[in-house]
Coordinates of all heavy atoms in Angstrom, one line a residue:
M1403 N 0.8 -1.1 0.0 CA 0.0 0.0 0.0 C 0.8 1.1 0.0 O 1.9 1.3 0.8 CB -0.8 0.0 1.2 CG -1.6 1.3 1.5 SD -2.6 1.2 3.2 CE -1.2 1.5 4.3
V1404 N 0.5 2.1 -0.9 CA 1.3 3.4 -0.9 C 0.9 4.3 0.2 O -0.2 4.6 0.5 CB 1.1 4.2 -2.2 CG1 1.7 5.6 -2.3 CG2 1.7 3.4 -3.4
V1405 N 1.8 4.7 1.1 CA 1.6 5.6 2.2 C 1.8 7.1 1.8 O 1.1 7.9 2.0 CB 2.4 5.1 3.4 CG1 2.3 6.2 4.5 CG2 2.1 3.8 3.8
C1406 N 3.0 7.3 1.2 CA 3.4 8.6 0.9 C 3.2 8.6 -0.6 O 4.0 8.2 -1.4 CB 4.9 8.8 1.2 SG 5.5 10.5 0.7
H1407 N 2.2 9.4 -1.0 CA 1.8 9.6 -2.4 C 2.7 10.5 -3.2 O 3.0 10.4 -4.3 CB 0.3 10.0 -2.6 CG -0.5 8.8 -2.1 ND1 -1.1 7.9 -2.9 CD2 -1.0 8.5 -0.9 CE1 -1.8 7.0 -2.3 NE2 -1.7 7.5 -1.1
C1408 N 3.3 11.4 -2.4 CA 4.1 12.5 -3.0 C 5.3 11.8 -3.7 O 5.9 12.1 -4.7 CB 4.6 13.6 -2.0 SG 3.3 14.7 -1.6
N1409 N 5.9 10.8 -2.9 CA 7.1 10.2 -3.2 C 6.9 8.8 -3.5 O 7.9 8.1 -3.8 CB 8.2 10.3 -2.0 CG 8.4 11.8 -1.9 OD1 8.8 12.5 -2.7 ND2 8.4 12.3 -0.5
A1410 N 5.7 8.3 -3.6 CA 5.4 6.8 -4.0 C 6.1 5.9 -3.1 O 6.8 5.0 -3.6 CB 5.7 6.6 -5.4
V1411 N 6.0 6.0 -1.8 CA 6.7 5.1 -0.8 C 5.7 4.3 -0.2 O 4.6 4.8 0.3 CB 7.4 6.0 0.2 CG1 8.2 5.1 1.2 CG2 8.4 7.0 -0.4
S1412 N 5.9 3.0 -0.2 CA 5.0 2.0 0.3 C 5.1 1.8 1.8 O 6.3 2.0 2.4 CB 4.9 0.7 -0.5 OG 6.2 0.1 -0.1
D1413 N 4.2 1.1 2.4 CA 4.3 0.7 3.8 C 5.6 -0.3 3.9 O 6.3 -0.3 4.9 CB 3.2 0.1 4.4 CG 2.6 -1.0 3.7 OD1 2.7 -1.1 2.4 OD2 2.1 -1.9 4.4
H1414 N 5.8 -1.2 2.9 CA 6.7 -2.2 2.9 C 8.2 -1.4 2.9 O 9.1 -1.9 3.5 CB 6.6 -3.0 1.7 CG 5.4 -3.9 1.6 ND1 5.3 -4.9 2.6 CD2 4.4 -3.9 1.0 CE1 4.1 -5.5 2.5 NE2 3.5 -4.8 1.5
E1415 N 8.3 -0.3 2.1 CA 9.5 0.4 2.0 C 9.8 1.0 3.3 O 11.0 1.1 3.8 CB 9.4 1.4 1.0 CG 9.6 0.8 -0.5 CD 9.2 1.9 -1.6 OE1 8.0 2.2 -1.7 OE2 10.2 2.3 -2.2
I1416 N 8.8 1.6 4.1 CA 8.9 2.3 5.3 C 9.4 1.2 6.3 O 10.5 1.4 7.1 CB 7.6 3.0 5.8 CG1 7.4 4.2 4.8 CG2 7.8 3.4 7.3 CD1 6.0 4.7 5.0
R1417 N 8.8 0.0 6.4 CA 9.3 -1.0 7.2 C 10.5 -1.5 7.0 O 11.2 -1.8 8.1 CB 8.2 -2.1 7.3 CG 6.8 -1.9 7.9 CD 5.8 -3.0 8.1 NE 4.7 -2.7 8.8 CZ 3.6 -2.2 8.3 NH1 3.5 -2.1 7.0 NH2 2.6 -2.0 9.0
A1418 N 10.8 -1.6 5.8 CA 12.3 -2.0 5.5 C 13.4 -1.0 5.8 O 14.4 -1.3 6.3 CB 12.4 -2.2 3.9
A1419 N 13.0 0.4 5.7 CA 13.9 1.4 6.2 C 14.1 1.3 7.8 O 15.1 1.5 8.3 CB 13.3 2.8 5.8
V1420 N 12.9 1.1 8.4 CA 13.0 0.9 10.0 C 14.0 -0.2 10.3 O 14.9 -0.2 11.1 CB 11.8 0.8 10.5 CG1 11.7 0.5 12.0 CG2 10.8 2.1 10.3
A1421 N 13.8 -1.3 9.6 CA 14.5 -2.7 9.8 C 16.0 -2.4 9.5 O 17.0 -3.0 10.3 CB 14.0 -3.7 9.0
A1422 N 16.2 -1.5 8.6 CA 17.7 -1.1 8.2 C 18.2 -0.2 9.1 O 19.4 0.2 9.0 CB 17.6 -0.6 6.9
G1423 N 17.5 0.4 10.0 CA 18.1 1.4 11.1 C 17.5 2.6 11.2 O 17.9 3.5 12.1
A1424 N 16.5 3.2 10.4 CA 15.9 4.3 10.5 C 15.0 4.2 11.7 O 14.1 3.4 11.8 CB 15.0 4.7 9.3
C1425 N 15.2 5.1 12.7 CA 14.4 5.0 14.0 C 13.6 6.3 14.2 O 12.9 6.4 15.2 CB 15.4 4.8 15.1 SG 16.6 6.0 15.3
D1426 N 13.5 7.2 13.3 CA 12.6 8.4 13.5 C 12.3 9.0 12.1 O 12.8 8.5 11.0 CB 13.4 9.5 14.4 CG 14.8 9.9 13.9 OD1 15.0 9.6 12.7 OD2 15.5 10.4 14.6
A1427 N 11.5 9.9 12.2 CA 11.0 10.6 10.8 C 12.1 11.1 10.1 O 12.2 10.9 8.8 CB 10.0 11.7 11.2
E1428 N 13.0 11.7 10.7 CA 14.2 12.3 9.8 C 15.0 11.0 9.2 O 15.5 11.1 8.1 CB 15.3 13.0 10.8 CG 14.7 14.3 11.3 CD 13.5 14.2 12.3 OE1 13.6 13.2 13.0 OE2 12.7 15.2 12.5
G1429 N 15.2 9.9 10.0 CA 15.9 8.8 9.4 C 15.2 8.2 8.3 O 15.6 7.7 7.2
L1430 N 13.8 8.1 8.4 CA 12.9 7.7 7.3 C 13.1 8.6 6.0 O 13.1 8.1 5.0 CB 11.5 7.5 7.7 CG 11.3 6.4 8.6 CD1 9.8 6.3 9.0 CD2 11.5 5.1 7.8
A1431 N 13.1 9.8 6.4 CA 13.2 10.8 5.2 C 14.5 10.6 4.5 O 14.5 10.5 3.3 CB 13.1 12.1 5.8
A1432 N 15.5 10.4 5.2 CA 16.9 10.2 4.6 C 17.0 8.9 3.8 O 17.6 8.9 2.8 CB 17.9 10.3 5.6
S1433 N 16.3 7.9 4.3 CA 16.5 6.6 3.7 C 15.5 6.3 2.6 O 15.8 5.6 1.6 CB 16.4 5.6 4.7 OG 15.2 5.5 5.4
C1434 N 14.2 6.8 2.7 CA 13.2 6.5 1.6 C 12.4 7.7 1.2 O 11.4 7.4 0.4 CB 12.3 5.3 2.1 SG 11.3 5.7 3.5
N1435 N 12.7 8.8 1.6 CA 11.9 10.0 1.3 C 10.5 10.2 1.8 O 9.8 11.0 1.3 CB 11.9 10.3 -0.2 CG 13.3 10.7 -0.7 OD1 14.0 11.4 0.0 ND2 13.7 10.2 -1.9
A1436 N 10.1 9.3 2.7 CA 8.8 9.3 3.0 C 8.5 10.6 3.9 O 9.3 10.9 4.8 CB 8.4 8.0 3.9
G1437 N 7.5 11.3 3.6 CA 7.1 12.5 4.5 C 7.9 13.7 4.2 O 7.8 14.8 5.0
T1438 N 8.6 13.9 3.0 CA 9.5 15.0 2.8 C 8.9 16.1 2.0 O 9.6 17.2 1.7 CB 10.8 14.4 2.1 OG1 10.4 13.8 0.9 CG2 11.6 13.4 3.0
R1439 N 7.6 15.9 1.5 CA 7.0 17.0 0.7 C 5.8 17.7 1.5 O 6.1 18.5 2.3 CB 6.6 16.4 -0.6 CG 8.1 15.9 -1.3 CD 7.7 15.4 -2.7 NE 7.5 16.6 -3.7 CZ 7.2 16.4 -4.8 NH1 7.2 15.2 -5.4 NH2 7.1 17.5 -5.7
C1440 N 4.8 17.3 1.2 CA 3.4 17.9 1.7 C 3.2 17.5 3.2 O 2.7 18.4 4.0 CB 2.1 17.5 0.9 SG 1.5 15.9 1.3
G1441 N 3.8 16.4 3.7 CA 3.6 16.1 5.1 C 2.3 15.4 5.5 O 2.1 15.0 6.6
G1442 N 1.4 15.2 4.4 CA 0.2 14.7 4.7 C 0.1 13.1 5.1 O -0.7 12.7 5.8
C1443 N 1.3 12.6 4.8 CA 1.4 11.2 5.2 C 2.0 10.9 6.6 O 2.1 9.8 7.1 CB 2.3 10.4 4.1 SG 4.0 11.2 4.0
R1444 N 2.5 12.0 7.2 CA 3.2 11.9 8.5 C 2.5 11.1 9.5 O 3.1 10.3 10.3 CB 3.6 13.2 8.9 CG 4.7 13.9 8.2 CD 6.1 13.3 8.6 NE 7.2 13.9 8.0 CZ 7.9 14.9 8.4 NH1 7.6 15.5 9.5 NH2 8.9 15.4 7.7
P1445 N 1.2 11.3 9.7 CA 0.6 10.5 10.8 C 0.6 9.0 10.5 O 0.8 8.2 11.5 CB -0.9 11.1 10.8 CG -0.7 12.4 10.2 CD 0.4 12.4 9.2
V1446 N 0.5 8.6 9.2 CA 0.5 7.1 8.9 C 2.0 6.7 9.0 O 2.3 5.6 9.5 CB 0.0 6.9 7.6 CG1 0.1 5.4 7.2 CG2 -1.4 7.3 7.4
V1447 N 3.0 7.5 8.6 CA 4.4 7.2 8.6 C 4.7 7.0 10.2 O 5.4 6.0 10.6 CB 5.2 8.2 8.1 CG1 6.7 8.0 8.4 CG2 5.0 8.2 6.4
D1448 N 4.3 8.0 11.0 CA 4.6 7.8 12.3 C 3.9 6.6 13.0 O 4.5 6.0 13.9 CB 4.1 9.1 13.2 CG 4.9 10.4 12.8 OD1 6.1 10.1 12.2 OD2 4.4 11.5 13.1
A1449 N 2.7 6.3 12.6 CA 2.1 5.0 13.1 C 3.0 3.8 12.9 O 3.0 2.9 13.7 CB 0.7 5.0 12.6
I1450 N 3.3 3.8 11.5 CA 4.1 2.6 11.1 C 5.4 2.5 11.9 O 5.9 1.5 12.3 CB 4.3 2.7 9.6 CG1 3.0 2.3 8.9 CG2 5.3 1.5 9.1 CD1 3.1 2.6 7.3
L1451 N 6.0 3.6 12.0 CA 7.2 3.7 12.7 C 7.2 3.3 14.2 O 7.9 2.5 14.7 CB 7.8 5.3 12.8 CG 9.2 5.4 13.4 CD1 10.2 4.6 12.8 CD2 9.5 6.9 13.3
S1452 N 6.0 3.7 14.8 CA 5.8 3.3 16.3 C 5.5 1.9 16.4 O 6.1 1.2 17.2 CB 4.7 4.1 16.9 OG 4.9 5.5 16.9
E1453 N 4.8 1.4 15.4 CA 4.4 0.0 15.4 C 5.6 -0.9 15.2 O 5.7 -1.9 15.9 CB 3.3 -0.2 14.3 CG 3.1 -1.7 13.8 CD 2.4 -1.6 12.6 OE1 1.2 -1.1 12.6 OE2 2.8 -2.1 11.5
T1454 N 6.4 -0.5 14.2 CA 7.6 -1.3 13.8 C 8.7 -1.3 14.9 O 9.3 -2.3 15.2 CB 8.1 -0.9 12.5 OG1 7.0 -0.9 11.6 CG2 9.2 -1.8 12.0
T1455 N 8.8 -0.2 15.5 CA 9.8 0.1 16.6 C 9.4 -0.7 17.8 O 10.3 -1.4 18.4 CB 9.9 1.6 17.0 OG1 10.3 2.3 15.9 CG2 11.0 1.7 18.0
V1456 N 8.2 -0.8 18.2 CA 7.7 -1.7 19.2 C 7.8 -3.1 19.0 O 8.3 -3.8 19.8 CB 6.3 -1.3 19.6 CG1 5.7 -2.3 20.7 CG2 6.1 0.2 20.2
T1457 N 7.6 -3.5 17.6 CA 7.8 -5.0 17.4 C 9.2 -5.3 17.5 O 9.5 -6.3 18.2 CB 7.2 -5.1 15.9 OG1 6.0 -4.7 15.8 CG2 7.5 -6.5 15.5
I1458 N 10.0 -4.4 17.1 CA 11.5 -4.8 17.1 C 12.0 -4.8 18.6 O 12.6 -5.7 19.0 CB 12.3 -3.7 16.3 CG1 12.1 -3.9 14.9 CG2 13.8 -3.9 16.6 CD1 12.7 -2.8 14.0
A1459 N 11.5 -3.9 19.3 CA 11.9 -3.8 20.8 C 11.4 -5.0 21.6 O 12.1 -5.5 22.4 CB 11.4 -2.5 21.4
T1460 N 10.3 -5.4 21.2 CA 9.7 -6.5 22.1 C 10.3 -7.8 21.6 O 10.3 -8.8 22.3 CB 8.1 -6.6 22.0 OG1 7.8 -6.6 20.7 CG2 7.5 -5.3 22.6
A1461 N 10.7 -7.9 20.3 CA 11.3 -9.1 19.7 C 12.7 -9.5 20.3 O 13.1 -10.6 20.4 CB 11.3 -9.0 18.3
A1462 N 13.3 -8.3 20.8 CA 14.8 -8.4 21.2 C 14.9 -9.1 22.7 O 13.9 -9.0 23.4 CB 15.5 -7.1 21.2
Ligands
LIG2432 S1 2.1 12.3 0.9 FE1 4.1 12.0 1.8 S2 4.9 13.9 1.7 FE2 3.1 14.2 0.7

């Protein structure tokens, strides 16, 4: 599913960026460009980031 329509970034790409080490909005912006234009996707990007970060933290 495309989350960031401005940059055509999918939820899979965002999760992959988090798994590769992006741990905040700035890290995601640098690695996959999500949320770097209009900002309309930021709430969803933040939700995926939180969900994925919690999953990684609880799996460790
Ligand atoms: S939809 Fe992501 S920056 Fe516009």
Side-chain angles (χ1 to χ4, degrees):
M1403 166 181 79
V1404 174
V1405 172
C1406 179
H1407 293 273
C1408 290
N1409 297 312
V1411 181
S1412 72
D1413 60 323
H1414 296 289
E1415 290 170 279
I1416 293 169
R1417 287 189 173 91
V1420 173
C1425 59
D1426 56 20
E1428 289 73 26
L1430 282 176
S1433 62
C1434 67
N1435 288 329
T1438 58
R1439 296 180 78 185
C1440 77
C1443 62
R1444 283 286 182 91
V1446 178
V1447 169
D1448 288 345
I1450 293 172
L1451 182 60
S1452 297
E1453 161 194 303
T1454 307
T1455 302
V1456 168
T1457 300
I1458 290 170
T1460 56

